[in-house]
């Protein structure tokens, strides 16, 4: 029954325009959530690499090779992405190489792993991406999930996890939309100027229907893919000669192409066969790149770095008019919220993780109402 409940609540939220609640979400929440997703990407990748050293079935040599491949993938992608802001080659070359930096990094990492296997033999073979050979259910069960095989008590108990999953879906979707539709990207199509709510209700309706169908056949639920979405919109950004964002190319072709390729990898044998040749450490390097590439422009991250900078020589930031003590307190509260989210997520009460996210908005307004952060300073620190 969880899929039914998981569909019903988002469906109701879409037809009742509950996404209007997003207007109470601000940069304060966006920054913490975005930093959390980046943190998860980087930490999960680092833990996977670390297990190659501690796993009894592995060896130190294989662990070292895993580290080399992952780091090579990460630094290649990161270095090529930064080529855009250099003076090397022509503008067209810099732009295209920068856009395809992650792809080139994956190819470079895969080639290093393949060279090691060919030169050192099977002992240097790294684990690869595991994908089923055919498009079928993993256990061989029927496609339609037998929901009514559950006892009646289990159907009622499913309400709590369904509610928590719904809160997470609602916040994940709408916070990601806020991040992507941020005015800094200067997009205009499909919404009124300065309005980030347009289209959210229809999006939620479509997602609720698709999630319901996916649940009935046991397919993974849809997620907003925060880091990938931010990386996508940044790849479509146009920068001026000074490296500042000038505009964003607004089109549907790349999104259609990305998901078309994902669908091809699910449905067809040959694309799946290609993916099974990619070593897992290459993907870990790519995850680290995606996690770190979403941090620039995140003012929470910039303020964290600012804690270690000499304010006398550091460039002035947008929030420089705010007293140092106030901005430090504001940042410390954001860090504490991030830590609380990570703790709850990894604890036995992880099912309550979405509640912590939902409490961020009231906390932000409490900071202002209690005078802990004055309104004049909050307007600067939390300006959209």
């Amino acid at each position: 029954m969880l899929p039914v409940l998981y569909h019903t609540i988002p469906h109701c939220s879409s037809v009742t325009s509950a996404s209007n609640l997003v207007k109470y979400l601000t940069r304060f929440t966006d920054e913490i959530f975005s930093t959390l997703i980046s943190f998860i990407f980087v930490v999960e990748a680092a833990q996977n690499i670390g297990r190659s050293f501690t796993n009894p079935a592995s060896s130190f040599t294989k662990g070292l090779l895993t580290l080399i491949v992952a780091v090579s993938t990460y630094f290649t992608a990161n270095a090529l992405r930064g080529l855009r802001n250099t003076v090397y080659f022509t503008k067209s070359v810099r732009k295209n190489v920068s856009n395809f930096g992650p792809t080139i990094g994956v190819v470079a990492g895969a080639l290093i792993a393949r060279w090691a296997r060919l030169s050192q033999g099977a002992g240097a073979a790294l684990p690869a991406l595991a994908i089923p050979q055919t498009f079928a259910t993993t256990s061989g069960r029927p496609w339609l999930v037998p929901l009514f095989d559950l006892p009646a008590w289990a159907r009622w108990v499913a309400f709590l996890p369904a509610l928590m999953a719904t809160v997470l879906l609602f916040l994940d979707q709408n916070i990601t939309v806020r991040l992507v539709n941020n005015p800094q990207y200067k997009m205009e199509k499909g919404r009124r100027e300065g309005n980030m709510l347009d289209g959210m209700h229809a999006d939620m309706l479509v997602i609720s229907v698709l999630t319901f169908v996916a649940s009935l056949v046991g397919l993974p639920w849809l997620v907003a893919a925060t880091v990938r979405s931010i990386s996508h919109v940044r790849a479509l950004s146009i920068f001026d000669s000074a490296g500042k964002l000038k505009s964003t190319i607004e089109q549907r072709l790349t999104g259609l192409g990305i998901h078309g390729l994902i669908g091809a990898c699910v449905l067809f044998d040959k694309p799946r066969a290609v993916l099974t040749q990619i070593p897992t450490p290459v993907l870990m390097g790519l995850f680290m790149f995606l996690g770190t590439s979403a941090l620039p422009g995140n003012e929470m991250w910039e303020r964290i770095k600012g804690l270690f900078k000499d304010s006398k020589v550091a460039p002035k930031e947008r929030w420089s008019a705010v007293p140092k003590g106030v901005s430090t307190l504001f940042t410390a509260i954001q860090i504490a919220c991030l830590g609380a989210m990570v703790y709850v997520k990894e604890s036995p009460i992880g099912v309550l993780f979405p509640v912590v996210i939902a409490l961020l908005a009231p906390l932000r307004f409490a900071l202002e109402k209690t005078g802990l952060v004055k309104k004049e300073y909050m307007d600067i620190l939390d300006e959209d």
Side-chain angles (χ1 to χ4, degrees):
M1 298 303 292
L2 189 149
V4 177
L5 295 168
Y6 188 54
H7 155 75
T8 303
I9 302 175
H11 184 82
C12 292
S13 73
S14 66
V15 298
T16 58
S17 299
S19 289
N20 285 334
L21 293 172
V22 172
K23 66 184 179 183
Y24 297 110
L25 301 179
T26 63
R27 180 186 288 269
F28 176 83
T29 302
D30 296 346
E31 290 175 348
I32 297 172
F33 187 79
S34 179
T35 305
L36 171 70
I37 302 300
S38 292
F39 177 84
I40 291 173
F41 266 65
V42 174
V43 170
E44 291 290 341
Q47 288 177 341
N48 186 281
I49 295 170
R51 283 193 291 269
S52 64
F53 287 95
T54 59
N55 189 345
S58 182
S59 63
F60 179 79
T61 301
K62 189 172 288 188
L64 188 60
L65 178 59
T66 297
L67 179 62
I68 292 173
V69 170
V71 170
S72 298
T73 302
Y74 169 77
F75 279 106
T76 300
N78 206 43
L80 294 180
R81 184 195 62 170
L83 187 65
R84 183 196 306 273
N85 300 322
T86 68
V87 296
Y88 297 106
F89 310 111
T90 64
K91 181 179 180 180
S92 177
V93 171
R94 292 197 302 269
K95 177 183 175 181
N96 287 303
V97 172
S98 177
N99 287 340
F100 288 95
T103 304
I104 298 172
V106 168
V107 172
L111 289 176
I112 293 173
R114 184 171 180 81
W115 170 80
R117 186 179 63 183
L118 292 176
S119 61
Q120 303 299 321
L126 295 176
L129 186 63
I131 300 178
Q133 294 183 350
T134 58
F135 180 59
T137 58
T138 305
S139 61
R141 62 167 176 79
W143 273 107
L144 194 62
V145 177
L147 298 177
F148 294 99
D149 285 358
L150 282 173
W153 67 266
R155 301 176 200 173
W156 287 102
V157 171
F159 179 80
L160 179 60
L163 179 62
M164 294 298 102
T166 299
V167 173
L168 182 59
L169 172 109
F170 180 85
L171 293 172
D172 183 39
Q173 167 66 22
N174 287 323
I175 290 176
T176 301
V177 171
R178 277 182 49 84
L179 290 168
V180 170
N181 287 342
N182 193 292
Q184 68 175 318
Y185 297 117
K186 302 179 181 178
M187 293 188 287
E188 301 174 355
K189 293 182 180 179
R191 62 188 178 94
R192 292 163 290 178
E193 183 178 356
N195 191 301
M196 291 191 286
L197 296 177
D198 290 342
M200 284 188 174
H201 312 306
D203 289 346
M204 191 59 65
L205 175 63
V206 172
I207 288 173
S208 67
V209 173
L210 293 177
T211 303
F212 177 69
V213 174
S215 298
L216 290 180
V217 295
L219 291 176
W221 287 338
L222 298 172
V223 294
T226 306
V227 169
R228 196 190 72 193
S229 298
I230 295 174
S231 298
H232 183 209
V233 72
R234 286 183 178 171
L236 296 172
S237 300
I238 299 176
F239 298 86
D240 59 22
S241 57
K244 293 185 178 180
L245 197 148
K246 184 170 62 175
S247 62
T248 299
I249 302 173
E250 300 181 62
Q251 42 75 47
R252 296 183 175 91
L253 184 61
T254 52
L256 181 63
I258 290 169
H259 292 90
L261 291 173
I262 293 173
C265 293
V266 172
L267 298 173
F268 303 116
D269 294 338
K270 290 187 177 179
R272 281 201 302 270
V274 173
L275 289 182
T276 57
Q277 302 301 312
I278 300 178
T280 303
V282 173
L283 299 178
M284 296 305 107
L286 181 62
F287 289 164
M288 285 194 292
F289 168 78
L290 289 173
T292 56
S293 66
L295 291 173
N298 183 328
E299 292 190 356
M300 174 183 171
W301 174 248
E302 298 301 330
R303 286 194 299 273
I304 290 174
K305 293 194 296 182
L307 297 176
F308 305 95
K309 293 180 180 178
D310 185 348
S311 58
K312 296 179 180 178
V313 297
K316 296 295 182 181
E317 300 288 358
R318 186 187 63 80
W319 56 88
S320 296
V322 178
K324 180 73 172 178
V326 176
S327 64
T328 299
L329 174 63
F330 185 82
T331 306
I333 293 172
Q334 286 187 305
I335 294 173
C337 292
L338 175 64
M341 292 167 68
V342 173
Y343 174 78
V344 173
K345 174 180 174 292
E346 299 298 330
S347 71
I349 58 171
V351 68
L352 299 178
F353 168 68
V355 175
V356 182
I357 303 177
L359 290 175
L360 293 178
L363 173 62
R364 179 262 183 232
F365 288 101
L367 293 177
E368 184 178 322
K369 291 295 184 181
T370 59
L372 200 58
V373 178
K374 292 182 179 179
K375 185 179 186 304
E376 59 186 285
Y377 299 144
M378 183 65 80
D379 290 343
I380 298 174
L381 292 168
D382 202 33
E383 179 185 8
D384 277 329

